[in-house]
Amino acid sequence: MAGLLAARVASEFYDSVTVVDRDRLPDHPAHRSGVPQDRHLHNFLTRGTTILGELFPGLLDELVAAGAVRIDNPNLSGRYARIGRFEMNRTGKLADPRALASYGASRPFVEFHVRQRVDRLGNVAFLAHHEAAGPVHDRGVVTGARITNRHNKLTQILHADLVIDATGRAARTAEFLAGHGFGSVPDKRLDPAWGYCSQLLRIPPGRIADKLVFVNQGRAAPGLLLVAYEHDTWMLAIARHGDCGAPPADFPTMLAIAEQALPPAIMAGLRDATPAGDVAVSRDTGALWHRYDRMARFPAGLVVIGDGLCRLNPLHGQGMTMAALQALALRDCLQDRGADLPHRFFRAAATQIAPVWAANAANDRPAPAGRPHPIRHRLSRWAADAVGTAAARDIAVTERFLRVRNLIDPPARLRDPVLLARIALANLRGPGFAS
Ligand SMILES: Cc1cc2nc3c(=O)[nH]c(=O)nc-3n(C[C@H](O)[C@H](O)[C@H](O)COP(=O)(O)OP(=O)(O)OC[C@H]3O[C@@H](n4cnc5c(N)ncnc54)[C@H](O)[C@@H]3O)c2cc1C
């Protein structure tokens, strides 16, 4: 996804752009071995879909015409969210419903449509079934990439003014830099130690009114996400913290967990679901940020984008949106035409990643062994509770919360004085409840 969006942006500045992928690229929405995570629930945050619409005018309508599920009601009907014991207010009118419009569709479906749009750009070519074996480098400048045809094993050099490493979790640029005298790459890590599972389902039309269902019960009980996808398919995902056992690996167990967490109306529809394929299970929720922005030396002619630069805990569903934000940052940097593109890009990307990383760390960091969380952490938990209480009662708070969660507004916007007053007022009416 990062590679497709980067290609779209690069096509504005270079005569020709080549997208190299190790997989054969299917001519219809289909799973690929190069993207093993595509069997898991994928959902763009709304900031991400807005960027898709900016980069590819008309794409969002095209997705809907092809079967994606759009939710853009003037209030929050069609969505059910519960955080702890707080259910989101769904009755009041949103000030800006378009910003929160969401599009439910599987990862292979969205990726296929984006790829088609990139393919239609006059100066972008795809080189499928080719393995990128690493950059080619001459005296501090990357001048191309070595690529191997996976069919006949022949290797050639693809010369380029700019190489964009968008190979995701498989990215090897850090090793390349260390092996070519640029030094080791400082990195940041978080290991939230969750496991989760995803099951694709078929549910007869009209059985569930809410198309986006989200339940977060903290660390002690499973989290749950249910999203309506194209052509009456749905994806159910359940996350469980490692301290509470392994994630379920079969649909009946997932259903039993859902019974404990979902309202009866949603559960009634879910009981009519037929599983499509096997449950996908993952225990890899670790986050890793390569701080290329902090390196003293970095070769010209090379940038890294997407998960290869920073992979986040997938449970937060931010990766594709971060890739889209980085594509825009790359466009800005290319537009400036200043010197040292890599450093300018990595600095711009770091500005986007840092607040998201900090918010995730606050959520994901475990308590120090044998001791309670530090006071700062407990205060932020208390503040989150106060926001939850207010969000259950006041649509303005709910909307701001969702805007922050969907990366439209920075987390600091939750501390706006007017909003704080509304949060205080809502909390004066007593502790929160689930309606
Ligand atoms: C289980 C899971 C669930 C997730 N859920 C969500 C979600 O709900 N919402 C969300 O926004 N994000 C989610 N993500 C994150 C999301 O998948 C990524 O952040 C997003 O796809 C951007 O990654 P990318 O483009 O950098 O890499 P990828 O999407 O992984 O793509 C990497 C590409 O590089 C190719 N490739 C790899 N190595 C080579 C090579 N040597 N040569 C040639 N080609 C190569 C692969 O074939 C592939 O096409 C999830 C991630 C995981 C693991």
Side-chain angles (χ1 to χ4, degrees):
M1 191 58 75
L4 292 172
L5 301 181
R8 157 65 186 82
V9 161
S11 74
E12 288 179 33
F13 301 93
Y14 294 91
D15 292 339
S16 77
V17 177
T18 307
V19 181
V20 179
D21 204 291
R22 64 189 311 282
D23 279 352
R24 288 199 171 90
L25 298 171
D27 61 2
H28 58 281
H31 295 298
R32 296 199 284 118
S33 60
V35 188
Q37 73 270 29
D38 71 5
R39 290 178 187 276
H40 278 278
L41 189 145
H42 266 69
N43 199 36
F44 257 104
L45 300 179
T46 64
R47 177 82 177 99
T49 35
T50 304
I51 296 172
L52 281 190
E54 280 166 28
L55 292 177
F56 305 100
L59 172 69
L60 299 177
D61 289 338
E62 218 173 280
L63 291 176
V64 174
V69 177
R70 173 160 43 203
I71 313 175
D72 58 354
N73 303 334
N75 54 23
L76 288 172
S77 60
R79 293 169 249 219
Y80 172 85
R82 177 163 70 78
I83 297 178
R85 60 187 192 281
F86 310 113
E87 279 181 349
M88 293 281 156
N89 179 321
R90 300 197 281 173
T91 50
K93 221 164 167 288
L94 293 166
D96 183 7
R98 279 177 56 149
L100 289 175
S102 74
Y103 294 80
S106 66
R107 164 68 191 248
F109 179 96
V110 176
E111 187 189 298
F112 169 72
H113 284 276
V114 173
R115 190 164 62 243
Q116 270 196 322
R117 291 296 293 259
V118 174
D119 201 21
R120 272 189 246 149
L121 298 167
N123 57 344
V124 180
F126 281 84
L127 201 52
H129 209 43
H130 278 69
E131 183 92 30
V136 178
H137 154 260
D138 182 24
R139 282 165 288 176
V141 181
V142 164
T143 56
R146 196 166 282 107
I147 56 168
T148 304
N149 183 322
R150 296 186 73 200
H151 177 64
N152 59 21
K153 310 290 179 228
L154 287 179
T155 294
Q156 58 170 307
I157 290 171
L158 194 61
H159 294 284
D161 295 321
L162 177 65
V163 171
I164 303 174
D165 177 358
T167 51
R169 292 169 167 232
R172 292 286 168 268
T173 291
E175 288 81 350
F176 163 79
L177 294 172
H180 287 81
F182 290 94
S184 59
V185 184
D187 60 35
K188 287 182 86 149
R189 288 169 195 266
L190 282 171
D191 189 7
W194 283 75
Y196 62 94
C197 59
S198 303
Q199 171 73 68
L200 187 66
L201 302 167
R202 293 194 178 283
I203 302 182
R207 295 294 291 118
I208 303 181
D210 294 313
K211 308 292 181 218
L212 184 59
V213 175
F214 172 74
V215 174
N216 177 343
Q217 310 186 88
R219 225 168 271 239
L224 198 143
L225 195 54
L226 176 68
V227 183
Y229 277 178
E230 65 274 10
H231 312 309
D232 300 320
T233 58
W234 294 65
M235 189 68 98
L236 172 66
I238 291 184
R240 187 182 251 169
H241 192 265
D243 292 347
C244 305
D250 60 85
F251 182 54
T253 312
M254 291 178 79
L255 211 51
I257 290 175
E259 292 271 6
Q260 310 292 315
L262 293 179
I266 298 174
M267 233 14 253
L270 201 51
R271 276 189 222 103
D272 285 350
T274 312
D278 295 332
V279 176
V281 179
S282 169
R283 290 191 179 82
D284 185 5
T285 52
L288 170 61
W289 180 6
H290 292 293
R291 299 301 310 255
Y292 296 120
D293 57 305
R294 293 195 171 158
M295 291 188 74
R297 289 176 60 236
F298 194 93
L302 175 68
V303 295
V304 188
I305 192 167
D307 281 15
L309 169 60
C310 178
R311 55 189 265 190
L312 296 166
N313 177 354
L315 292 183
H316 300 301
Q318 298 154 331
M320 296 189 295
T321 298
M322 293 308 289
L325 284 164
Q326 287 160 24
L328 292 190
L330 180 63
R331 178 162 75 177
D332 289 346
C333 293
L334 288 168
Q335 215 138 32
D336 286 350
R337 293 187 186 278
D340 203 358
L341 173 74
H343 268 118
R344 283 186 298 117
F345 169 70
F346 290 130
R347 273 199 302 269
T351 310
Q352 294 165 340
I353 295 167
V356 176
W357 185 275
N360 290 1
N363 269 315
D364 291 347
R365 195 165 280 137
R371 282 181 288 136
H373 275 296
I375 183 82
R376 200 162 59 111
H377 185 95
R378 277 180 281 151
L379 273 175
S380 81
R381 280 282 150 95
W382 173 82
D385 250 30
V387 172
T389 300
R393 294 168 174 167
D394 182 344
I395 188 74
V397 179
T398 316
E399 184 165 5
R400 183 66 56 77
F401 174 82
L402 290 177
R403 287 178 66 90
V404 169
R405 155 112 190 89
N406 279 284
L407 303 183
I408 303 164
D409 292 338
R413 291 296 308 278
L414 281 174
R415 297 192 291 274
D416 278 357
V418 174
L419 195 80
L420 287 177
R422 295 185 82 125
I423 293 171
L425 207 63
N427 278 269
L428 282 175
R429 285 160 54 194
F433 60 94
S435 56

